[in-house]
Amino acid sequence: MKMTLRWFGEGYDSVKLREIRQIPGVVGVITTLYNRQAGELWPREEIAALKAKVEAENLEISGIESVNIHDDIKIGLPSRDQYIENYIKSLENLGEEGIKMVCYNFMPVFDWTRTNLAKPRHDGSTVLAYDQSVVDSIDPQVFFDQTDANSNGFVMPGWEPERLSRVKELFEAYKDVTADKLFDNLVYFLKAIMPTCDKYGINMAIHPDDPAWPVFDLPRIITNKENILKMFAAVDNPHNGLTFCTGSLGTDLSNDLPDIIRACKGRIHFAHVRNLQHFAPGLFEEAAHLSADGTFDMYEIVKALYDIGFDGPIRPDHGRTLWGEVCMPGYGLYDRAMGACYINGLWEAIDKATKRKDQLL
């Protein structure tokens, strides 16, 4: 596996490339053209400039998160083909620059959802948290406005201003989009882009829905093993793969995370590894990556990735905000750096134990 950190780019991220480079074991970043909106073409010269900036700090671009998908594609409007053509051209430009992995999501209106961006924890840090009762009792526009107001002045992925300004319009546009229709539109999109992925060797890694159930009555389709395998079967191409995100799939405690990893062998192209602390169904907060700090057995999750031969990029996901850091909620330097070291330590221990066991056989 390749240890990476997500980086939003200069002008958008409080974390610097030189700081990322100093984290032991981190070899690359997962980044994006944050100035490009969903549906826009990514010019090759902008991709090349971003790549040069990252490589100047002795890092690599290990993948893109995300080339966002226009809502017309998700809704299935006649205009979707125009936006798919732009997407294909963007993939071609990424491929020409040697970038081989794209993480994306197919969630309507917004992607991840949290009801508190700075919930205090027992250790004095703050974390992202979710309470379904809050979602059930609030108007979507009010909820989005509150989220934006608590972002520490950062533009957060999935909560961009141009999207927030169109909440009512977007909800109206999605009113007839069922889970089945959304899935069919995903398949349409994937079938259209697979020839380009085949040509350039680009792995598409869909991000699971977060949380793994409908929010504000909007459908969610990448929520469990059954739905993921259904997507693989509908577009049976090795480049059609998954971003395995413990925090997203793990919002639903009925999901057996190591089992999902093993069921998706060969189709996991990217991994987000983080921990959650569950209190009740629909009530959880994010935790330190250490197993004992949350609900998940991180050893078993990392071991499952090791056992299937996962060799793609991996990153610590949302971290705690601590030590007075001012950053995009969930995306500070300190806790994610500790998370990267923790995951690397688990991987090294599993690797050495496995090889020693093999030598004794």
Side-chain angles (χ1 to χ4, degrees), residues 69-80 83 166 174:
I69 297 173
H70 197 275
D71 287 295
D72 288 12
I73 299 174
K74 299 177 186 179
I75 297 166
L77 298 178
S79 54
R80 64 180 170 180
Y83 291 113
R166 299 172 56 231
Y174 277 99

Side-chain angles (χ1 to χ4, degrees), residues 6 71 112 122 132 180 238 248 321:
R6 190 173 189 180
D71 287 295
W112 60 273
H122 60 85
Q132 184 64 45
D180 287 341
S248 299
T321 299

Side-chain angles (χ1 to χ4, degrees), residues 100-235:
K100 304 295 187 181
M101 192 282 292
V102 173
C103 171
Y104 70 103
N105 76 74
F106 217 74
M107 288 178 263
V109 182
F110 51 91
D111 44 42
W112 60 273
T113 309
R114 295 293 182 269
T115 55
N116 192 332
L117 303 185
K119 182 183 178 184
R121 297 194 78 225
H122 60 85
D123 58 8
S125 65
T126 62
V127 294
L128 305 175
Y130 186 90
D131 184 343
Q132 184 64 45
S133 67
V134 174
V135 174
D136 292 340
S137 64
I138 195 169
D139 177 79
Q141 183 66 65
V142 174
F143 178 75
F144 284 25
D145 292 343
Q146 289 179 355
T147 300
D148 184 50
N150 292 307
S151 66
N152 290 338
F154 291 89
V155 177
M156 298 185 298
W159 300 85
E160 296 82 4
E162 68 284 351
R163 178 171 296 274
L164 293 171
S165 67
R166 299 172 56 231
V167 169
K168 292 182 179 179
E169 176 187 336
L170 286 169
F171 268 80
E172 179 66 21
Y174 277 99
K175 68 178 182 179
D176 295 323
V177 179
T178 64
D180 287 341
K181 287 182 179 179
L182 188 63
F183 182 83
D184 290 343
N185 294 338
L186 171 60
V187 171
Y188 183 95
F189 165 74
L190 287 170
K191 286 183 176 179
I193 68 169
M194 280 298 110
T196 303
C197 294
D198 290 338
K199 178 179 178 180
Y200 290 96
I202 296 174
N203 288 325
M204 296 297 296
I206 194 167
H207 190 286
D209 303 335
D210 187 0
W213 53 77
V215 177
F216 294 119
D217 295 322
L218 292 166
R220 297 291 178 101
I221 57 174
I222 306 299
T223 58
N224 53 37
K225 181 172 74 171
E226 178 184 3
N227 291 353
I228 294 166
L229 296 180
K230 177 183 175 183
M231 182 197 69
F232 291 164
V235 184

Side-chain angles (χ1 to χ4, degrees), residues 112-116 119 121-122 126-131 207-213 223 244-255 257 272-299 301 316-320 330 335 342-343:
W112 60 273
T113 309
R114 295 293 182 269
T115 55
N116 192 332
K119 182 183 178 184
R121 297 194 78 225
H122 60 85
T126 62
V127 294
L128 305 175
Y130 186 90
D131 184 343
H207 190 286
D209 303 335
D210 187 0
W213 53 77
T223 58
F244 180 82
C245 179
T246 61
S248 299
L249 290 167
T251 58
D252 183 350
L253 283 173
S254 69
N255 283 331
L257 301 181
H272 293 177
V273 177
R274 60 181 162 96
N275 206 349
L276 297 179
Q277 178 66 59
H278 281 269
F279 302 102
L283 182 64
F284 60 83
E285 66 183 33
E286 301 190 357
H289 288 75
L290 181 72
S291 295
D293 197 58
T295 299
F296 303 151
D297 188 331
M298 305 301 283
Y299 169 85
I301 289 167
D317 208 355
H318 308 160
R320 300 168 298 157
D335 200 40
Y342 176 63
I343 297 164

